[in-house]
Structure formats: structure tokens, C-alpha cells
Amino acid sequence: MEQEVVKLLPETTSRLTRIKSTGSNGLISGSSVHGIKNGEEPLIIIDGKEALEKDALSKLAPDHIKSLSILKDKSATAVYGEKGKDGVIIIEMLTDEEFQAKKNNPKGSYANAWQLAEHAAKDILGEVIYLLDGKEVHAGILETMSAESIKTASAENVDGKVVIRLVSKK
């Protein structure tokens, strides 16, 4: 992740302190990020809420981070006002369901929702019934949907039939 930040914002490299290690609990330890002015702390936003603890970044498990964005200069103050004057780090965390799906499928790349559904039922045999948001749908519908539009996918054997339940991101 640090390498990506350096590529995007090479002028901030001197202000980034490398992550020294991750502890046995999987949390980041020994990390520090400084804002635009040397010694100033950026505003940290986690899942849309301001992190009030100074060491909020050190309490995050890196494998639970969905996305990380950095705002600086005028873009930071335009969105967050005076609080954003030293830069803003915006972090979106994976939900428990998203983390479990990522853990179960580290590749995470499907051409469409149908491929995602089939992967969810890969070890279950039987006639397949697809349920999207609680309603039965044909496989062709899922082939036209992006896998990114699916929040969760699960499969179970019910009376010899494979029931694949998909919940969309609404």
C-alpha cells in the first residue's frame, strides 16, 4: 500500500514513516503518517466517521481495509473545511460479510454475478435455484450483472437442490 501512495504522491514520501511490522494480532504497529505541515496530524475518516483517537490507524487490521484515499491541499479543505487543512486520510473497511468473502476467495475476480454464484456452490451437487434478494431468477439475469453489485453469496443443499442466495448492494 505504501508503494501505491508513493507513486501517487511522490512529494509526500518524506512524510510517510514505513510500517515497521504487524503484530501477532494482525494490527499495524509502529506506523505514523504526518500531514502537510511537518508534525501536524491529518484528519482520519474511517467508514464515514472521524477517528478521534490519535492512534486510530494502529488499531486497524490491514486485511480488513477495503479502500484508502488521501485528500490534500484545497481538495481536503473543500470537503472537510478547517479540519482538513493538514490532509485527510479516508479509509473504508470491509464488512464482516465482505471480509469473509475475500477470505474464501482471495482472487475475488469474477466476470459477472453468475460466476460468483457458481463459485459459492462449487462443492454442492444438485439442481440449481438462484435467489436474488429473495426472488428466484434465471442464470441469464445473473450473467448480465456485475459481480461487484453483489454484497453476499451463499449456497446450501435443500432437499437435493442447490439454493444459491445472492444479496445485492442496494
Side-chain angles (χ1 to χ4, degrees):
M1 186 168 52
E2 178 186 355
Q3 292 169 346
E4 291 176 24
V5 171
V6 171
K7 283 181 197 171
L8 291 173
L9 305 167
E11 69 277 9
T12 64
T13 8
S14 64
R15 295 188 198 112
L16 292 175
T17 301
R18 292 181 188 264
I19 295 171
K20 295 179 181 142
S21 66
T22 45
S24 59
N25 60 2
L27 299 178
I28 299 170
S29 64
S31 67
S32 153
V33 180
H34 298 281
I36 294 168
K37 295 177 185 171
N38 197 15
E40 297 295 324
E41 293 290 327
L43 175 64
I44 309 287
I45 304 292
I46 301 172
D47 288 336
K49 297 179 184 173
E50 181 180 344
L52 301 176
E53 297 178 39
K54 195 170 190 167
D55 62 344
L57 290 178
S58 68
K59 295 182 178 181
L60 299 178
D63 57 345
H64 282 70
I65 296 174
K66 180 191 281 187
S67 67
L68 180 136
S69 303
I70 297 174
L71 296 178
K72 59 180 197 158
D73 302 325
K74 292 180 183 178
S75 62
T77 54
V79 177
Y80 292 96
E82 185 64 20
K83 285 185 174 186
K85 71 179 175 24
D86 295 317
V88 182
I89 298 174
I90 304 166
I91 299 170
E92 186 178 349
M93 304 298 291
L94 294 168
T95 64
D96 290 339
E97 294 85 13
E98 290 170 327
F99 176 73
Q100 211 46 296
K102 180 180 173 185
K103 185 176 165 184
N104 293 340
N105 178 32
K107 291 182 183 175
S109 56
Y110 299 103
N112 54 43
W114 177 80
Q115 284 186 356
L116 175 64
E118 290 297 306
H119 182 268
K122 68 181 177 187
D123 297 327
I124 306 173
L125 300 174
E127 178 187 341
V128 179
I129 298 172
Y130 300 98
L131 297 177
L132 176 63
D133 296 327
K135 296 179 183 174
E136 189 170 348
V137 295
H138 187 272
I141 298 292
L142 299 177
E143 289 175 342
T144 65
M145 292 179 65
S146 163
E148 300 296 319
S149 67
I150 303 299
K151 183 177 180 181
T152 61
S154 62
E156 61 185 323
N157 189 321
V158 179
D159 298 327
K161 295 181 180 180
V162 180
V163 178
I164 301 175
R165 300 178 199 284
L166 303 166
V167 178
S168 65
K169 296 177 185 175
K170 294 179 182 178

